[in-house]
Amino acid sequence: MFFLINKLVMNFDAPSPWGIYFQDSATPQMEGLNELHDNIMYYLVVILFAVGWILLSIVINYVSTKSPISHKYLNHGTLIELIWTITPAVILILIAFPSFKLLYLMDEVSDPSMSVLAEGHQWYWSYQYPDFLDSNDQFIEFDSYIVPESDLDEGGLRMLEVDNRVVLPELTHVRFIITAGDVIHSFAAPALGIKCDAYPGRLNQVSVFINREGVFYGQCSEICGILHSSMPIVIESVSLEKFLIWLKEQ
Amino acid sequence: MASAAVAPAFKPITGMLRRGLILDLSIGLGLGFVFGNAFWYGYHMPRVNARDAYYRKLEEARAARQGN
């Protein structure tokens, strides 16, 4: 069964049909999220079966036809009520500690080597590389629009491909500065473990350190209007040499 | 007129709830740990091992490219 689940779940850097698990992680943040999820899932499975079994047992043993007067003796129990109130509270606290630890770790922006400004618009993203100048001595900047289905190349992902990808070097601390030009959007790339709201007039930031080369797909994750589903995000991680070549071409 | 306490004809049935609860908790938690471990060792660990093997291979390829 697990083999089947492994085959069915998403194993790419983009969503896959009927995918029920995370995409393969490409940043330390996403590794942490995966680990936290699986740790919590272990305890959830234990709780699910314990509660499920006891529920089943109660339904079977205390059905009115089998125990016609069970209500007479089983209508109050201080000890058991204390147990089933305190135990979940303790479990929630145990889950909260690693969760907060990861949350604050992810919030750290550790000395970025470069920054990328991502600005959400109805309905496209525009990007600026404020650390680099193009041949006209202007900051490198471009808009990134969805590629419509009719223009997709063979193998292209429907509703996910864009005309201009964000190109980033692997193994480099990159800071995304995220904002919006009109309404609230959200910049998200699941394989990189980033999701950050983009507000007009406000700068948010997230840090990424991409472990490997790849093309990572994301979508706007805040309902922003009628074409909310048509402003995908594509981040291409390349080696430093390839990144320098790309920079030179701008 | 006070009546004397009459001894029951048979021993009262007590402790059933506690015994049932201990049995049910044991079975429930036992099943939970079995399936939890199945998830952990059948799904989580293979994924972690595959990921580690991938990054190990990637590191070797990087090292080979740099001539180390």
Side-chain angles (χ1 to χ4, degrees):
Chain A
M1 190 180 88
F2 286 108
F3 172 77
L4 196 65
I5 291 173
N6 256 324
K7 288 288 152 199
L8 286 175
V9 296
M10 52 178 78
N11 279 318
F12 313 107
D13 300 323
S16 61
W18 302 99
I20 56 166
Y21 196 72
F22 298 113
Q23 297 174 28
D24 287 340
S25 57
T27 58
Q29 291 107 303
M30 196 58 210
E31 303 286 353
L33 286 169
N34 271 342
E35 196 66 30
L36 179 73
H37 169 274
D38 283 3
N39 273 298
I40 292 175
M41 184 56 82
Y42 178 87
Y43 294 105
L44 286 190
V45 170
V46 175
I47 292 166
L48 175 77
F49 277 92
V51 173
W53 177 266
I54 289 180
L55 193 63
L56 192 74
S57 167
I58 288 170
V59 168
I60 290 169
N61 291 322
Y62 296 100
V63 65
S64 62
T65 50
K66 198 173 171 185
S67 308
I69 57 163
S70 63
H71 63 279
K72 196 171 174 184
Y73 302 106
L74 295 172
N75 55 11
H76 183 74
T78 309
L79 178 66
I80 203 161
E81 282 172 17
L82 278 172
I83 291 170
W84 73 43
T85 305
I86 291 170
T87 311
V90 171
I91 292 169
L92 285 177
I93 289 168
L94 290 178
I95 289 173
F97 273 104
S99 178
F100 281 130
K101 189 178 157 192
L102 183 63
L103 189 69
Y104 293 126
L105 269 174
M106 287 172 65
D107 217 24
E108 287 288 319
V109 176
S110 48
D111 193 22
S113 301
M114 59 175 280
S115 299
V116 176
L117 177 72
E119 187 172 349
H121 301 273
Q122 287 177 315
W123 289 276
Y124 62 97
W125 290 93
S126 58
Y127 299 99
Q128 189 185 76
Y129 290 63
D131 299 311
F132 305 103
L133 299 175
D134 62 13
S135 49
N136 300 322
D137 275 352
Q138 302 288 317
F139 292 139
I140 294 172
E141 54 187 352
F142 53 85
D143 295 334
S144 181
Y145 284 89
I146 188 173
V147 175
E149 206 173 343
S150 53
D151 295 349
L152 273 183
D153 292 333
E154 199 178 353
L157 297 171
R158 185 182 155 272
M159 301 299 284
L160 287 174
E161 296 289 354
V162 294
D163 55 355
N164 291 311
R165 293 171 169 176
V166 183
V167 178
L168 295 176
E170 62 169 350
L171 305 176
T172 305
H173 285 287
V174 180
R175 173 177 58 168
F176 275 102
I177 300 165
I178 295 155
T179 187
D182 35 45
V183 299
I184 303 172
H185 300 272
S186 181
F187 187 79
L192 306 183
I194 54 174
K195 180 180 276 180
C196 183
D197 278 1
Y199 285 87
R202 179 173 167 163
L203 299 175
N204 286 334
Q205 59 176 355
V206 287
S207 174
V208 288
F209 181 87
I210 305 176
N211 289 332
R212 59 185 166 90
E213 291 185 53
V215 182
F216 307 101
Y217 293 85
Q219 289 174 301
C220 178
S221 298
E222 179 72 46
I223 299 280
C224 59
I226 193 163
L227 291 179
H228 159 66
S229 58
S230 302
M231 46 182 296
I233 295 150
V234 184
I235 297 168
E236 186 172 352
S237 165
V238 295
S239 65
L240 189 60
E241 298 79 37
K242 285 182 196 164
F243 177 69
L244 293 175
I245 293 168
W246 177 83
L247 274 183
K248 221 171 180 182
E249 287 169 355
Q250 304 307 307
Chain B
M1 196 171 82
S3 62
V6 180
F10 51 85
K11 212 174 142 191
I13 303 167
T14 57
M16 288 295 286
L17 182 65
R18 180 161 298 187
R19 226 170 299 152
L21 196 64
I22 289 168
L23 180 71
D24 282 338
L25 275 176
S26 304
I27 294 173
L29 287 173
L31 275 175
F33 279 111
V34 165
F35 281 93
N37 279 296
F39 163 73
W40 192 259
Y41 292 104
Y43 185 74
H44 171 77
M45 289 309 289
R47 271 184 75 92
V48 169
N49 292 336
R51 181 198 66 194
D52 289 349
Y54 171 81
Y55 279 111
R56 212 174 303 122
K57 215 169 139 188
L58 195 65
E59 274 307 309
E60 284 166 11
R62 274 185 193 136
R65 240 190 349 255
Q66 289 168 359
N68 293 334

